[in-house]
Each structure stands twice: as C-alpha cells, then as structure tokens.
Amino acid sequence: MIERVILMNQAFIPFESISYTKRFLTNCYEKQSLTQAKTLSYHTSYSFIYHLQQGRLYFQQASSSPIEIQPMLLFYGIVQMLKACVLTVDPYYPENSAILAHGVTTRKRKKQGYRFLDDEIKVQKNGLFLHSLSKMFHVKQMPSEKFKMNALMKQIADMHPLYSTMTNQEISLPITYRSQSFSISSTLLDDLHMTANRFGLFLEQQNQNRWFNRQVGIQSNKHSITIPLLFKPTLYQSPPWLTSINGDHYILRKREDFCPLPELSIHYLLLYNLSMICRYEAEWWGELHHNFEGEDLPYIKQFLSISNKKLPLLIEHYLRSKE
C-alpha cells in the first residue's frame, strides 16, 4: 500500500509546479484552438493544482481508513480529480452553479429486502457527471437514464474473477493484443448470437473513439476473430474493451451487459451510491459488515479495493493523454 501511494505521488508531482502546470494547460488549450490559451491557463492553473491535491489527499486517506468510511473518501476524491480533468478541456468550468451538482441521484429510502446489486442510480440533466462525460469523453447522448449497480460492476475487468467465483460463470473473454489488432476466441460470436459482419456493425456503433479500423474489417476462422485497430484503446477510454489494472483486455460475453460509459464514469456512479448509503443508511450499512447475509459485501469490498488502486491510475492516464 505504501509503494502504491509513493507511485501515485510521483505521477502527480510535476503538477506541484505552477510553471509546469501553466505550460501543460496552455498546451491543452492550444490543441483545442482556444484563443488566448496562455491567459486561460493563468486563470485555471491554481484551481487545477488544488483539485488534484485534494483528490490525492482523499485517496491517500481512503487507503488507510476503515472500509466503512472509504466510499465517502473515494467519492470526494474522484470528484476533485474529475474537476481537474475537466479544466484541461473546459477552462471556463464552472460556468454556472448547476454544473457544481453531482448530477446523479438514488432512491433515498431503501426498501425491506434491499440488495445493493439490484439498486439503481439515475442520471440528472445538470451536474458534474454529464458535464465530465461530454467534455472529457465526447459522450453527447446517454444510453440510459438509469443504471443498475450489478451492470456497472461488470464494466470493471478486475471484478470479473470475483463474478466467476460467486456465479460459477465466466462473464468475459480475454483479448490478445497484437500489432494493430485484437484477437478473441470465436466463441464470442456464439455468445453474442452474431455473425462476424454483424459484430463489425456492432463495433462501429460502439466506436466513439474511432479505434476500430472498419476499412480492413473483421477476419474470422473456427478458432478466433481478429479485429483491426487504428490505435490501441487506452485504459481510461476502453469500452467495449475492458482493461484491468495490469493492462490486460477483456470483453463481456452478453450483449445486454455492454455499456459505453468510460470506466472513470463507472467508478463515479458506484462510489456516489455507496457514499450515500454509508452516510444515510447507517443501519443497513452497519449490518452489512457484521451479519454477512446475502452477496453484496464481497462485491462491495472488492470494488472498493480496486477503486482505491485504480482511480489514480485512470486519472494519470487521462492527464498523460493531454501532454
């Protein structure tokens, strides 16, 4: 844990220099052809630094805190980090008070027999969530207004071994990366009930970041399918490829499990709900950690452990892409 904190500190150390941060933000704004990029970076650099510092402090405290309060620390950590990331693409943030809202909501009172994995979160029209999606990842239209916790957790590749143990089913297939292509077992087409051509059309629909080389097209045989890439998807913008913290790639085996949201947004939604539960549903939250009933606790504990390690890495990868 200490080594991870040291590495996280090293990744963000350059941004403790105001001159470096100004150059970094100026470069970000010039790439967007914004006028007066240097002046804009002068106005945003200190806010950027302070958001990063606060985010790091929350993450560091979460790594050494009891699990019962980790959701709050991790959620406020990702909020601060996302605000810093937004400033790299939107120097005018926040333009109004509506954008300062979290942008999501959950059912306030949990019904009897409540199960976290079945709970839903609803996206609101205004707030940080949609604003960060639009500015950072160019997601203009949401695939849905509501998302189930179980569906969101499946978007995190590092959760899949636990799903395999708990359900005795493999929910994803590993992907082999070769030069400018992905190779996957041909059983994926059977799982998705698609032909190779239909799968190619499906990928074009998912192709928000223009990584799929449609001109070359998908090649298939009895054993595998090969998907040509224009470039290798990065950790922070991986859908429909799910990337583990070790850099391994996976793809879900059921069509209904696919979600086009980037992983940073997935963590944001899950942590928001968990932070609300541990603050306002103290009785359910306390019993969860002591009576061991149901299956929620293993998934929640595993997710918090992954989120604690992976969130700084996701933020680092995003910021590196701006250099």
Side-chain angles (χ1 to χ4, degrees):
M1 188 63 71
I2 293 175
E3 291 180 356
R4 188 184 67 78
V5 171
I6 291 174
L7 288 173
M8 183 176 73
N9 285 335
Q10 290 177 346
F12 297 110
I13 278 178
F15 296 110
E16 294 181 354
S17 163
I18 190 65
S19 59
Y20 174 84
T21 302
K22 285 180 180 178
R23 292 198 305 271
F24 171 78
L25 291 174
T26 298
N27 181 56
C28 291
Y29 301 151
E30 287 178 344
K31 285 182 177 179
Q32 299 173 70
S33 301
L34 297 177
T35 58
Q36 296 182 318
K38 287 186 177 180
T39 302
L40 291 173
S41 68
Y42 177 82
H43 290 296
T44 58
S45 56
Y46 281 103
S47 293
F48 176 87
I49 290 173
Y50 292 142
H51 284 312
L52 277 187
Q53 283 187 341
Q54 286 195 26
R56 287 166 56 193
L57 286 174
Y58 279 122
F59 289 151
Q60 289 167 10
Q61 288 300 310
S63 66
S64 58
S65 296
I67 192 171
E68 287 84 354
I69 62 173
Q70 284 184 17
M72 289 185 293
L73 296 169
L74 289 171
F75 177 68
Y76 286 120
I78 192 174
V79 165
Q80 294 298 329
M81 289 290 195
L82 274 184
K83 288 179 179 179
C85 291
V86 167
L87 283 173
T88 67
V89 288
D90 180 10
Y92 305 104
Y93 174 83
E95 289 187 84
N96 55 67
S97 58
I99 296 178
L100 293 173
H102 292 143
V104 289
T105 185
T106 59
R107 188 187 300 116
K108 295 298 185 292
R109 298 293 299 175
K110 307 306 179 186
K111 298 180 180 179
Q112 188 174 3
Y114 169 78
R115 184 172 180 258
F116 176 76
L117 291 177
D118 292 333
D119 200 5
E120 287 185 335
I121 192 166
K122 185 177 181 180
V123 176
Q124 297 177 320
K125 292 182 179 179
N126 296 309
L128 178 61
F129 181 75
L130 275 185
H131 192 72
S132 63
L133 266 181
S134 173
K135 294 296 183 178
M136 293 171 58
F137 302 107
H138 311 293
V139 177
K140 303 300 182 184
Q141 190 172 7
M142 290 294 294
S144 173
E145 289 185 353
K146 296 181 179 180
F147 297 91
K148 276 196 172 184
M149 300 300 101
N150 189 36
L152 292 174
M153 283 196 173
K154 288 180 179 179
Q155 309 309 311
I156 302 174
D158 309 270
M159 293 291 298
H160 294 181
L162 178 62
Y163 271 95
S164 176
T165 300
M166 297 290 287
T167 66
N168 199 30
Q169 293 181 344
E170 299 290 342
I171 68 170
S172 64
L173 289 174
I175 299 173
T176 301
Y177 177 73
R178 296 188 174 90
S179 178
Q180 297 298 305
S181 69
F182 273 151
S183 179
I184 313 172
S185 169
S186 59
T187 58
L188 177 65
L189 297 178
D190 296 328
D191 294 333
L192 298 178
H193 306 291
M194 293 182 182
T195 63
N197 289 335
R198 176 69 186 86
F199 184 57
L201 294 174
F202 173 75
L203 289 180
E204 287 187 29
Q205 295 172 357
Q206 304 285 317
N207 191 18
Q208 295 183 8
N209 294 300
R210 305 294 186 267
W211 38 258
F212 174 50
N213 191 341
R214 72 177 80 181
Q215 292 184 344
V216 175
I218 293 177
Q219 299 177 355
S220 65
N221 55 46
K222 291 182 179 180
H223 304 290
S224 65
I225 53 177
T226 301
I227 302 162
L229 305 174
L230 294 174
F231 56 87
K232 185 179 180 180
T234 60
L235 178 64
Y236 69 85
Q237 57 179 33
S238 52
W241 323 119
L242 308 180
T243 308
S244 72
I245 198 169
N246 296 322
D248 298 322
H249 298 284
Y250 300 86
I251 190 167
L252 291 163
R253 301 180 67 173
K254 291 184 178 180
R255 194 186 316 185
E256 60 268 26
D257 287 340
F258 281 78
C259 177
L261 297 180
E263 188 168 341
L264 265 174
S265 300
I266 300 294
H267 285 262
Y268 184 96
L269 294 175
L270 286 164
L271 288 173
Y272 173 83
N273 199 9
L274 286 171
S275 70
M276 293 293 286
I277 289 172
C278 72
R279 278 181 288 174
Y280 301 114
E281 299 291 337
E283 183 178 355
W284 184 88
W285 186 245
E287 289 180 354
L288 174 73
H289 292 277
H290 293 95
N291 62 20
F292 305 107
E293 292 183 2
E295 296 184 349
D296 282 340
L297 186 58
Y299 287 99
I300 290 173
K301 292 184 73 171
Q302 181 75 348
F303 166 70
L304 290 174
S305 175
I306 292 166
S307 197
N308 206 324
K309 300 171 185 175
K310 202 171 185 181
L311 275 177
L313 189 61
L314 289 167
I315 298 294
E316 178 192 350
H317 274 242
Y318 181 82
L319 293 177
R320 280 184 177 178
S321 74
K322 301 297 177 183
E323 290 179 345

